Amino acid sequence: MKQPNPPDALHTILIVSGPDFDPAALRDSLAARSVGVRIATRGDEALKAAQEDGISLVLLDAALAGSASLELCTRLAAAGPVLLASAHPSDEEQQAAMEAGAAGYLRLPCTPQDIVEKILIELTVRHAWPAAPDSGLDTNALEVNYHTLLAGSPDSIMLFDATRGLPVDVNRNAERLFGRSAQELMGMQLAELCPPLQPDGTPSAVAVRTLIDKVMGGEVRVYPLSLRHASGRQIDCEIRTVLLKKGALQLLHMRLVDVTGLRLAEALRTGQNQLLELIARGAPLGTILTQLVQLVESQAHGMLCSVMVLDDDGFTLRPAAAPSLPPDYVQSLDGARIGPNEGSCGSAVHRRAPVVVADIEHDPLWKNYRDMALAYGLRACWSMPIMLDADTVLGSFAMYYREVRTPRAEDERLIGVAAHLASIAIERTQREAELQRHRLHLEELVQARTLELRRAKERAEQASEELKAALEHLGETQDELVRRGKLASLGALVAGVAHELNTPIGNSIVTAGAMSEKLDALAGQLETGLRKSELARFVDAAREAEGVMQRNLERAAKLIASFRQIAVDAAGSQRQQFALDQFIVQQLVSLQAALPAPRPAVRQQLTPGLSIDSYPGPLAQALASLFENAVIHGLDGRHDGIITVGAAGHGEQDVEIWVSDNGAGILPEHLGRVYDPFFTTRLGAGGSGLGLYVIHNIVTGVLGGRIEAVSLPGKGARFTMILPRTAPR
């Protein structure tokens, strides 16, 4: 290799790469540093290129370096510096590389930036440092290239003398990172720039010694280390360190990357998740807000936070959490009023907008609280209203500082996140309190409704006895009429009357019995915790039951009084022509919305353009019953449940509508009885056995079609309604 290029000339690197090494990314990174690149893929090419002018350094892939003695490395090193890069590194190979004359050993994989940094440092060493620094480091020679390299780097860089443990050069970014001058830094050991302990509890002196020992072993990697700013603020860094050997000198090139922001962001995400978990578990509001305040305070040095909650009167603020503020100061804020000039918090709540006070001493908003705040050393306060919605304010979140300052973008983002989390916690607590107030009045309401239901049941039983007596009287009348030769006509009359009388009797008894069961269920729920919505449903059911029994008793009374045959009016459904696919989609929207968790997936297989002339009301009832049957009996709470609803043509005159599921299926011995009235496999678990019986009557009666069921145990079930395109009139 010829004489190396002068320091200010463009260097050219020869990369000798094998199949395990991709030089493309490295070439781009070197080009960005004004370093040229030549590529060789064979040993003879490399030897020929190394003899040419302009090659400053060779980066040799260990795969092409020869046998265990690395012959190619030895021949190239005779002409100039060689860095050996190995995709399968080992200590033995590193030792062989040094014996073969290599200037350095790179353990792959590592980033192109790591390799570029090693190359640039090696070039700097070759062209800027004296060959035999017997008397120490020549700083004048160092200033030519290395100091310029440090000064122009966008990173914080320090050059340490490993023997003395002191920096010999730092750049301006390192001064900014530590808040210290270069002269001050070069008189301090690395451990003195750290807090006494690292975050894991390791003494910083031990952590620094461990780092140096690893670097002395020739590793190029990233080391986490917590440093300390001149103000005492902790700086979390990642240190990328390279060992430079030049004669008796052992220097550490350190690139310091401040990752404090990343660590804080990760801590904020973790803290948010923990807070949401506390909220979900129903932890006390004070505990949640205190943890929220401490989380936010950990994000910024010197920040003191507080949460104020708006009282029920809508005008008074109460402290909810302020663990770092002086207790006497917090106590003095209890009962503060909101208004246009009531400090940061009172003004923010009044305006429903953020309020930033950078200097409490001179801001007019603090005229009523200035002396008190200054007495405790508080100089700045920013407050964000805690909003439930655009019109409802719950309180305020405030950030205090002991120096005059204005918020940065990250401060504004942080206070916004804090206010949002506080609103979630406060809203949940208020809703729980409201629910508790409702629970206190539930027992009285339940008792009142229970008394009404019992009276209704007694009236129904009395009417039943009267009806039975009437039936007995009718029987006697029938016997008399038979004796008079009118048996045939009277038999028909009695049968009709008996049938009609049994209907209101049965309805009243069933309704009274059902409401008795609902009453027992409600009493059980009262012991475990009753929701307002459940009580509302019970009240609605009780009112409906009362109406049903009232109507049936009136109907029975009329039968007894007049002994006339009564025809029950069935309110006919409206008939119309409609698009079947659109109709089913509309029904599924409401059915899916009402599903309890876990909700099954609902798939649609609808043929567009199908139109039928039928009764949409009964059809909707049948479809809803089949859908609910699939959810309750087929899937029964499965988390991977799938319900498929489809519609298609069935010949020229009919259409078919099916509902299928991937649930438990129906046993063969039960499949033939599914349409029998009162047949159910969930007796005592909420099933009446009338669902499919009613569906069968609707399909075969009103809609004029038929229904079919297909099922295999464990493979789900499919119910298909085959309906005429034009329903019978």
Side-chain angles (χ1 to χ4, degrees), residues 268-517:
L268 180 61
R269 285 192 297 270
T270 302
Q272 286 179 273
N273 293 336
Q274 293 173 347
L275 284 169
L276 291 174
E277 184 178 349
L278 286 176
I279 294 172
R281 293 205 312 258
L285 181 61
T287 300
I288 296 172
L289 295 180
T290 297
Q291 185 164 328
L292 170 62
V293 166
Q294 292 172 339
L295 171 64
V296 175
E297 290 177 345
S298 69
Q299 294 286 304
H301 182 70
M303 179 193 297
L304 309 172
C305 297
S306 72
V307 177
M308 304 283 285
V309 176
L310 189 62
D311 210 346
D312 292 338
D313 61 8
F315 298 100
T316 306
L317 291 173
R318 304 290 182 186
S324 301
L325 286 169
D328 292 343
Y329 174 75
V330 176
Q331 183 63 34
S332 67
L333 296 179
D334 192 9
R337 307 286 288 180
I338 68 172
N341 296 292
E342 295 294 333
S344 298
C345 294
S347 300
V349 173
H350 175 76
R351 300 177 186 179
R352 289 175 168 78
V355 171
V356 175
V357 175
D359 186 354
I360 291 176
E361 184 175 5
H362 300 99
D363 196 296
L365 293 181
W366 279 79
K367 63 180 181 180
N368 297 329
Y369 306 93
R370 180 181 296 115
D371 294 340
M372 179 173 54
L374 295 178
Y376 291 101
L378 305 176
R379 296 301 307 275
C381 181
W382 320 325
S383 183
M384 171 75 75
I386 301 172
M387 305 296 295
L388 175 62
D389 50 45
D391 301 317
T392 307
V393 63
L394 302 175
S396 68
F397 191 98
M399 293 179 171
Y400 289 86
Y401 283 92
R402 297 190 182 279
E403 68 272 1
V404 174
R405 58 176 295 177
T406 56
R408 302 165 298 177
E410 53 265 34
D411 296 325
E412 295 175 353
R413 178 187 59 83
L414 184 60
I415 196 172
V417 170
H420 177 65
L421 290 172
S423 77
I424 296 175
I426 295 172
E427 178 193 7
R428 180 180 178 89
T429 301
Q430 290 182 347
R431 292 189 183 278
E432 288 291 338
E434 181 182 359
L435 183 59
Q436 182 62 29
R437 288 194 296 271
H438 285 298
R439 289 196 186 103
L440 296 177
H441 301 287
L442 285 181
E443 185 174 355
E444 180 181 352
L445 182 58
V446 169
Q447 290 176 350
R449 299 306 301 167
T450 299
L451 180 60
E452 293 179 7
L453 287 172
R454 286 176 178 170
R455 290 174 178 174
K457 183 179 180 181
E458 292 172 357
R459 290 196 298 267
E461 291 173 347
Q462 182 180 359
S464 176
E465 293 297 327
E466 293 175 356
L467 289 174
K468 288 179 181 178
L471 285 175
E472 293 175 358
H473 178 71
L474 286 175
E476 295 173 358
T477 303
Q478 182 183 26
D479 293 338
E480 181 67 23
L481 290 175
V482 169
R483 286 192 295 270
R484 296 180 183 182
K486 300 179 180 179
L487 178 61
S489 59
L490 184 58
L493 172 63
V494 172
V497 171
H499 173 73
E500 295 299 330
L501 289 177
N502 280 331
T503 299
I505 293 173
N507 288 346
S508 298
I509 293 175
V510 169
T511 301
M515 289 313 300
S516 178
E517 292 177 359

Side-chain angles (χ1 to χ4, degrees), residues 89-167:
S90 66
D91 293 340
E92 293 78 8
E93 186 180 62
Q94 181 178 3
Q95 180 63 31
M98 297 299 103
E99 293 175 356
Y105 183 77
L106 296 177
R107 296 175 178 266
L108 302 179
C110 60
T111 65
Q113 291 75 15
D114 289 335
I115 301 176
V116 169
E117 184 172 353
K118 181 68 173 177
I119 289 172
L120 292 177
I121 292 172
E122 184 64 31
L123 292 176
T124 300
V125 170
R126 296 285 171 178
H127 296 293
W129 296 352
D134 297 332
S135 59
L137 184 65
D138 186 347
T139 56
N140 292 326
L142 188 64
E143 290 176 356
V144 176
N145 281 329
Y146 193 84
H147 188 76
T148 302
L149 178 67
L150 264 62
S153 173
D155 301 318
S156 300
I157 297 179
M158 305 179 74
L159 183 65
F160 267 84
D161 183 339
T163 303
R164 296 188 300 146
L166 293 173

Side-chain angles (χ1 to χ4, degrees), residues 606-624:
L606 305 175
T607 301
L610 286 178
S611 179
I612 64 173
D613 184 3
S614 189
Y615 300 93
L619 178 57
Q621 181 181 353
L623 181 63

Side-chain angles (χ1 to χ4, degrees), residues 93 140 200 238 323 344 459 488 521 601 629 657 662 726:
E93 186 180 62
N140 292 326
D200 62 357
E238 289 181 349
S344 298
R459 290 196 298 267
N629 186 73
I657 304 170
N662 65 338
T726 302

Side-chain angles (χ1 to χ4, degrees), residues 470-663:
L471 285 175
E472 293 175 358
H473 178 71
L474 286 175
E476 295 173 358
T477 303
Q478 182 183 26
D479 293 338
E480 181 67 23
L481 290 175
V482 169
R483 286 192 295 270
R484 296 180 183 182
K486 300 179 180 179
L487 178 61
S489 59
L490 184 58
L493 172 63
V494 172
V497 171
H499 173 73
E500 295 299 330
L501 289 177
N502 280 331
T503 299
I505 293 173
N507 288 346
S508 298
I509 293 175
V510 169
T511 301
M515 289 313 300
S516 178
E517 292 177 359
K518 291 181 180 293
L519 177 61
D520 294 339
L522 185 65
Q525 293 171 348
L526 185 60
E527 296 295 329
T528 59
L530 184 61
R531 297 182 178 176
K532 182 180 179 181
S533 58
E534 294 171 341
L535 179 61
R537 286 196 296 269
F538 176 82
V539 172
D540 291 341
R543 289 174 177 168
E544 182 179 358
E546 182 180 6
V548 169
M549 288 190 289
Q550 183 70 27
R551 290 192 299 271
N552 280 278
L553 291 174
E554 290 175 357
R555 178 178 166 195
K558 291 180 180 179
L559 285 171
I560 296 172
S562 62
F563 290 99
R564 293 179 301 173
Q565 183 180 8
I566 299 176
V568 180
D569 291 331
S573 301
Q574 293 185 354
R575 179 194 183 103
Q576 66 185 59
Q577 187 170 2
F578 55 94
L580 187 57
D581 56 337
Q582 298 177 8
F583 172 81
I584 293 176
V585 170
Q586 293 173 356
Q587 300 304 313
L588 290 179
V589 170
S590 59
L591 290 174
Q592 287 180 267
L595 283 175
R599 294 187 174 185
V602 179
R603 298 176 179 173
Q604 302 177 13
Q605 297 177 351
L606 305 175
T607 301
L610 286 178
S611 179
I612 64 173
D613 184 3
S614 189
Y615 300 93
L619 178 57
Q621 181 181 353
L623 181 63
S625 296
L626 286 177
F627 189 90
E628 293 171 359
N629 186 73
V631 173
I632 296 172
H633 297 280
L635 301 179
D636 195 21
R638 288 179 53 169
H639 291 270
D640 59 346
I642 300 174
I643 297 178
T644 303
V645 180
H650 187 83
E652 296 182 358
Q653 302 298 325
D654 298 329
V655 296
E656 61 179 12
I657 304 170
W658 66 88
V659 177
S660 65
D661 63 75
N662 65 338

